[in-house]
Amino acid sequence: GSFKSHKTQTKEAQEAEAFALYHKALDLQKHDRFEESAKAYHELLEIRLLREAVLSGDEKEGLKHPGLMLKYSTYKNLAQLAAQRDDLETAMEFYLEAVMLDSTDVNLWYKIGRVAIKLIRLPLARHAFEEGLRCNPDHWPCLDNLITVLYTLSDYTTCLYFICKALEKDCLYSKGLVLKEKIFEEQPCLRKDSLRMFLKCDMSIHNVNVSAAETGRIIDEALELRKKRQALLVRDREPDLRLVQPIPFFTWKCLGEALLAMYHHLTTCDPPRPSLGKRIDLSEYRDPVQHLIVSPTSTPVSVIQPTPVSTSAVVTVADPVLSYTPATTNFPSHSQNVLEPGATVGDISAGDKSKKGVKRRRITEDSGETAKRRSARVRNTKCKKEEKVDFQELLVKFLPSRLRKLDPEEEEDPFNNYEVQSEIKEENFQHVGPHRMSFDSTTFMESEKQDVHEFLLDNLNNGGILELMMRYLKVISQKFLVKWPPGLSEVVLSIYNSWRKHSSSLPNPLLRDSSNQHIKDMMLMSLSCMELQLDQWLLTKGKSSTVAPRNCPAASVNGKFGPDFPGIHFLGDLLQLSFASSQRDLFEEGWMEFVTRVYWLKARFLALQGDMEQALENYDICTEMLQSATAMQAKADNECITIRLPNLHVDSVVSLEEIDKNLKSLERCQSLEEIQRLYEAGDYNAVVHLLHPTLCFNGFGRAKHLEFVTSIPERPAQLLLLQDSLLKLKDYKQCFECSEVALNEAIQQMMNMTAASAKEEWVATVTQLLTGIDGSLSSDSSILKDPSITPSLVRLTTNLIQIIDCSMAVQEEPKEPYVSSVLPWIILHRIIQHEEDAFRSLCQQQQQNQGEEASPDTPMLPSSLMLLNTAHEYLGRRSWCCNSDGALLKFYVQVLEKELAASTSEDTHPYKEELETALEQCFYCLYGFPSKKSKARYLEEHSVQQVDLTWEDALFMFEYFKPKTLPEFDSYKTSTVSADLANLLKKTATIVPRTDKPMLSLDTVSAYIEGTCSKV
């Protein structure tokens, strides 16, 4: 037969087999052989006919497919079998499978509803009975059960609707009559609301009485069902939460850290997460005996944990936040404290001997693979060599005699008193701001244990972590005018920022919708925390201030503090604080202090944002408040009132004098903005005209100049604007002179700064000034010919040597910023080379005048070249020789290229071999040529990061390394192209500029190879 008839037969055979198995299972069920019957039904479900039977999606079609009919009947029968053995869960599962195949069977829905009632799944029972009534509105069992379920679920309005339907059919329906009256009794308003609904019913429904026994039975049935459902809904009482990080000591910092850890745990743990309003059990802290280990002195020790942004340079002088990382870090540290004036070379090496073992271990760990590749013997020898180097002494020897200072102890002009002055300033301010450690703070630390314990006892009953955080902030802000232990400010600010996210708004001081005490506490708490937040922003601004020409106040503030600056709550909270400052009765005696602090905060925030006019207005309000308070107190000595905020690092004292200083700073910012505008408009002459007088070229008016200069935080920007304007004008001579004076000032400032953020700013300024000086000298070498600049050169060389000495003395992991640029070496070389050229031309002139011939003695290697060689040697030992993108070595290569090009024949150059060795060492460090395997023995491994080869640099490299004669098929091995050279040529070929590539056709090249053409 055909394929079609064969397929049809197969289908028929499948149907016959399936029906046979179904009847067998049905027969077993009739004879009460339930297990065998269930097994047969399950076998039937596995038959292909049933497995492949899928609903078409059109309900009107019904179950026409024999496979679907069998599947539906099988599920119903399996459900019935499960219900007979009281396995209600399984029965429900099979009933639901059946109803998904056909939802038009009212009896099936009724059975689902009855099983759901037994399982106390009342919402499912309600749905089943409602669906049953949709299939057949007259199905009384569904209606009867639905009324009971709706009453149990307390859906009285829907229940009354179906009671009405039932009473329309049977006005003597007792359950309907009983439950109707019961509902009206529980909710009397429904009697009137449902009056119109019952109008269609027989009037007798309002009078028929049901026997007490039947009434009790009906109500008890519904209430019993409700009770069972409520029993299922009762949750086991979960224990209260406990702190994930126990409180080790009774200090405010430890308590704050424990609360923060708990908050982070609750907001980041795996779901389901506990509610933030769930009580936290603090009962274990009732008895303070186990926490007696704490002592006032131990408090600061437990806080040496670095915090992300806001750690201040003042608190952590020993370990500044802003570490300045050099370009490459895999190198050992050699010299220590070479800069200390009294230290001698002997002292340094002796001091280091005791640490030698430790130092060696650290070098091996930190310097990574590069250190491992060297032998321990070589490395240690180098360390010893490096430790004994005094760069001041070493580099002075390279200088010509006229550039050496006669008296090494003599400090140069404007800054000889600078250190003394800054020390006096420090002493004067020991009692204010972050340095101040008042008597109160000692008391604070002594009473801390007791206060924290009291706080814990007062909060044994709490509303969860957020309430505990708020109460903590309220208590701690009462102590804001006392110096806190280190690290507490950061913890408090973190808690505030975490808590504030969950609080919609602060209590309104005008509406007085809370108690006066609560509003006062919340306002003081917000003020203290917002002062800490502003302090953090001001510190961040100080650290990240770029020392390029910039707008002082409003220079892309948002960029520095993140895209969300100042946050969604800060401005609104500031407005609430302003409202609160008008409510004198809230604060009583502390009102004047509160108002002054609020406007001090507003003024500084507006200044940070660049809104100078508004900032000035707010400073004026602060001034008025302090003046009126001073007048009211009418002190005999007329001493001004001062508010001290010892937990702030910036602007920690509010007084008339400090306000005056801030006003002057605002004016300077505005003047700097004006200069910035002139600079951006291209009026460089005006910029020079305004800034040139601020430089101190001689000793006249030195003290006044210093006092002015050192107090201006915008000074780095001024110096760089001046230098950049002169470079734009191409007035290189004046640029060199001004940059040298500016460099002298910047170096002194850099050396005397203790705050890491300010120091980094001056380090960047020094680096930029060096770039300008080098640019001026390379653009106009005739600058050095002017005899009037000799004093400047003497000072410049001394400063350059000092910079080199400082940078070479830093540790392998520097703890504070330092100048990592190689420009001091390059500028020093330019000056020394100029002196050599001048001396050489003078000698030649004398010889010509006297008619003498040149001396036949072999000349010495010039100091300028020896300096670059020394620079490469010492920087190489620390893997720094390719710093600044290889600037030093590229410069050295250019110098060597000129030197080698000066002699045409091979033998005339007196120190050709030394120059070639130095040149090959430069190439090896810069570009890794030749490879490590084939490099000559005299080349040292400096383990530096190589730089990219450019076309300009590649030309000389090619000229130097190419074979003297073009290699031929039978050439000697020495004149062939090595593998290294081949790689270099391939590398060079990839960077050839497109315009310089000759357009060669294949035919032209072939003709040249075959000899038919003599040119390519």
Side-chain angles (χ1 to χ4, degrees), residues 2 64 106 123 161 206 304 309 323 352 371 450 489 522 571 616 637 713 727 750 885 952 968 1016:
S2 68
K64 288 183 179 177
V106 66
Y161 170 77
H206 301 295
I304 307 173
V309 185
S323 59
D352 277 342
Q450 186 184 340
S489 301
M522 292 297 282
L571 295 173
L616 287 169
D637 55 358
L727 284 172
M750 179 182 79
D885 198 29
E952 292 73 21
E968 294 178 4
V1016 179

Side-chain angles (χ1 to χ4, degrees), residues 910-964:
Y911 32 83
K912 181 172 181 285
E913 193 176 329
E914 288 93 329
L915 295 183
E916 287 181 345
T917 303
L919 183 61
E920 286 173 30
Q921 181 69 56
C922 289
F923 285 141
Y924 182 64
C925 288
L926 281 168
Y927 313 115
F929 180 86
S931 63
K932 288 180 185 179
K933 288 181 182 176
S934 57
K935 74 176 177 71
R937 282 191 180 180
Y938 53 77
L939 294 181
E940 289 186 17
E941 178 59 65
H942 289 164
S943 306
V944 287
Q945 184 73 39
Q946 292 169 15
V947 299
D948 294 331
L949 182 63
T950 60
W951 176 243
E952 292 73 21
D953 300 329
L955 288 173
F956 174 59
M957 204 171 170
F958 171 75
E959 286 297 328
Y960 181 78
F961 283 112
K962 71 175 185 183
K964 300 287 182 287

